[in-house]
Amino acid sequence: MDKEKEILAAALKLFVEFGFHGTPTSKIAKEAGVANGTLFHYFKTKEDLIVGLYIRIKENLNGYLLSKVDDQSTLETRMKTIYEESLQWALIHRDEFYFIQQFHFSPHLAKVSAEDIEKQTRLHVGLLGEGVKSKIFKSLPVGLIGTILGSQLYGVYQYLVSNDLSASKQKQVIDETFVLLWEMITNIKQ
Amino acid sequence: MDKEKEILAAALKLFVEFGFHGTPTSKIAKEAGVANGTLFHYFKTKEDLIVGLYIRIKENLNGYLLSKVDDQSTLETRMKTIYEESLQWALIHRDEFYFIQQFHFSPHLAKVSAEDIEKQTRLHVGLLGEGVKSKIFKSLPVGLIGTILGSQLYGVYQYLVSNDLSASKQKQVIDETFVLLWEMITNIKQ
DNA sequence: CCAAAGACTGACTGATCACTCTATAAAAAT
DNA sequence: ATTTTTATAGAGTGATCAGTCAGTCTTTGG
């Protein structure tokens, strides 16, 4: 692993454990096994490091999701894939997922550029637009559907990590909660 | 307003705007109109101030909810009241609500005692237990119902603050999302 | 009315920390 | 082969900040 990645990995680990303030750059450098100055060779400021870490993590998540979604399948299948795979990714990359949330409630969020945000939400925004346009969703504001979806995902994640379930039980919870969610936001007739 | 309250109000305002790290105690004291040392007369450490602020805010929210819930009404009515009033409170006390979430993703969360947590969740835990026991809820784990409920509340709040709606529109969204939520977690036959 | 306790002040301090600077070594470009 | 660029190091620095301290003012209880 090259030094830049070592630094990012060390920063992630320490930020999650001690918070942004509680983690001096000197400790990050030490944990990464590089000199103090080397950290500032790769990241001009501590804030650059924090924001850079956030963007890379989001890129990883989005890349993973894109690799799992089959463009040919139905909207429901694609949405279920995103829901399921987001949770699976989050369960495997717990520090990364915690960091995302930690970052969202920090003043550093304001430092993310509009285009970076657009890049990160393109996939989700596209699917939601499709659902509304095709009248599969109930006639609710898109933004509302989006936030409900996102927040339920976070909620189910919290449940999964705070209860130590077997892989199959986890899968079952994920499946069941998707059904609940889908019934809630779509016009189904049964 | 006494000095302690001035300090707490100043701390809340500055923490929300600049984060915990970005807010020196000296600025809090200045904003509160007290001397530096006075802050440490009321709160032994900066962390004490942060945790103290969190606990007071939660007490306010819980007190407000308790005053609104009528013990004689049905479970559905009581849950709807809590859902609605939580959102109304959050909309009026935006800094306070943001602070709660900011605090949840900070290392200071670990400093809250088990009994304080119990106090803060008693009301909600009681209602959930009642719903499960009376078979009104679907046969899902209580914890799962609880997190889904909580996360939807946060999600709808996010939607309400990021879209500037009229009071009546807000009420409508709150009512509609409660119906969706209630349908999702209960065994209804219609 | 007095003494003790508590509230309050703000200058001060020791520690910490983000970041710089100088130097050297390695790699790439010419 | 030589210059230029990039990578790495780590000691050093100026600023900042949480928390202290020694003392003054205010309240309260006897």
Side-chain angles (χ1 to χ4, degrees), chain A residues 5-24:
Chain A
K5 280 191 181 151
E6 293 277 9
I7 292 168
L8 287 165
L12 174 63
K13 184 185 157 190
L14 295 170
F15 284 150
V16 166
E17 188 169 357
F18 304 108
F20 298 125
H21 170 46
T23 308

Side-chain angles (χ1 to χ4, degrees), chain B residues 54-121:
Chain B
Y54 174 74
I55 287 173
R56 273 157 230 246
I57 289 175
K58 283 289 234 163
E59 278 171 0
N60 285 347
L61 171 54
N62 272 313
Y64 177 80
L65 292 179
L66 276 172
S67 79
K68 293 287 181 180
V69 174
D70 172 13
D71 290 341
Q72 304 304 310
S73 56
T74 65
L75 180 67
E76 180 173 357
T77 304
R78 273 176 290 149
M79 289 200 65
K80 189 174 182 205
T81 303
I82 296 225
Y83 182 82
E84 278 184 358
E85 296 296 345
S86 294
L87 284 169
Q88 296 293 358
W89 186 92
L91 287 169
I92 294 168
H93 302 89
R94 296 197 182 188
D95 279 356
E96 283 87 342
F97 200 69
Y98 183 88
F99 179 86
I100 290 173
Q101 294 168 82
Q102 186 183 21
F103 184 89
H104 281 332
F105 288 103
S106 81
H108 308 292
L109 178 61
K111 296 283 148 94
V112 181
S113 69
E115 55 188 324
D116 277 325
I117 292 176
E118 194 278 327
K119 241 183 254 170
Q120 287 163 14
T121 54

Side-chain angles (χ1 to χ4, degrees), chain A residues 3 33-38 41-42:
Chain A
K3 309 233 166 182
V34 302
N36 235 303
T38 305
H41 173 70
Y42 287 102

Side-chain angles (χ1 to χ4, degrees), chain B residues 16-49:
Chain B
V16 166
E17 187 169 358
F18 305 108
F20 298 124
H21 170 46
T23 307
T25 52
S26 56
K27 274 227 188 83
I28 298 171
K30 205 172 185 181
E31 169 88 20
V34 301
N36 232 302
T38 305
L39 190 152
F40 289 95
H41 173 70
Y42 287 102
F43 303 95
K44 279 229 301 268
T45 66
K46 188 183 184 180
E47 174 140 82
D48 268 14
L49 169 59

Side-chain angles (χ1 to χ4, degrees), chain A residues 139-170:
Chain A
S139 65
L140 293 166
V142 207
L144 183 56
I145 296 176
T147 42
I148 286 177
L149 242 147
S151 59
Q152 171 145 341
L153 209 147
Y154 282 122
V156 172
Y157 170 76
Q158 296 299 346
Y159 175 74
L160 290 174
V161 298
S162 55
N163 299 65
D164 193 30
L165 307 171
S166 68
S168 64
K169 264 279 172 202
Q170 279 182 355

